[in-house]
């Protein structure tokens, strides 16, 4: 049973910062990739940032230079540092863990944390 618990969301003014945390039950080395997705009002869920076991990162164009994903393997936790926040960053942010098993990728999701950026 994989559990991912997000925290750190909230209300912030434009230009502010937030740090999201995703704590996994057990070692995050089990997962090929961990990442953050978001779903804004009336929008589809989209990838924000991802990080592999080896530390390779990937970012959506909309957040490059503002957001940073990182991982603390000792704490089984992945972080998303969000700076220079904009109203369009308002969304529910979901932690994702992806693992190759039984000849396919298996995805696991957290419950989501709300981020609201006011103008």
């Amino acid at each position: 049973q994989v559990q991912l618990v997000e925290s750190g969301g909230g209300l912030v003014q434009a230009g502010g910062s937030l740090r999201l945390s995703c704590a996994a039950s057990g070692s995050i080395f089990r997962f090929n990739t961990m990442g953050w997705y978001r779903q804004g009002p009336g929008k589809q869920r989209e990838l924000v940032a991802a990080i592999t076991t080896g530390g390779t990162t990937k970012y959506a164009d909309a957040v490059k230079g503002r957001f940073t994903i990182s991982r603390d393997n000792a704490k089984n936790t992945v972080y998303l540092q969000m700076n220079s926040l904009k109203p369009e960053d308002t969304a529910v942010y979901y932690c994702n863990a992806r693992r190759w098993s039984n000849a396919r990728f298996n995805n696991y999701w957290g419950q989501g944390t709300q981020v609201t950026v006011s103008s």
Side-chain angles (χ1 to χ4, degrees), residues 20-22 28 34 36 51 69-71 76-80:
L20 305 183
S21 299
C22 172
I28 59 175
M34 294 196 71
W36 291 92
I51 185 167
I69 189 170
S70 62
R71 56 192 291 157
N76 297 319
T77 300
V78 174
Y79 303 98
L80 184 68

Side-chain angles (χ1 to χ4, degrees), residues 16-83:
S17 298
L18 284 174
R19 188 177 81 155
L20 305 183
S21 299
C22 172
S25 58
S27 173
I28 59 175
F29 277 116
R30 295 176 290 164
F31 306 112
N32 300 88
T33 305
M34 294 196 71
W36 291 92
Y37 286 70
R38 68 185 181 187
Q39 187 166 15
K43 298 182 180 179
Q44 290 189 332
R45 191 173 297 190
E46 62 178 359
L47 174 68
V48 176
I51 185 167
T52 69
T53 303
T56 301
T57 57
K58 177 181 179 179
Y59 295 93
D61 288 342
V63 308
K64 282 180 181 176
R66 299 188 298 122
F67 291 10
T68 303
I69 189 170
S70 62
R71 56 192 291 157
D72 185 333
N73 295 324
K75 295 182 178 180
N76 297 319
T77 300
V78 174
Y79 303 98
L80 184 68
Q81 178 66 44
M82 305 186 294
N83 298 328

Side-chain angles (χ1 to χ4, degrees), residues 2 30-33 96-109:
V2 175
R30 295 176 290 164
F31 306 112
N32 300 88
T33 305
N96 169 265
R98 201 176 198 201
R99 179 170 63 186
W100 180 258
S101 176
N102 297 325
R104 64 186 181 96
F105 275 112
N106 296 277
N107 284 290
Y108 304 92
W109 297 93

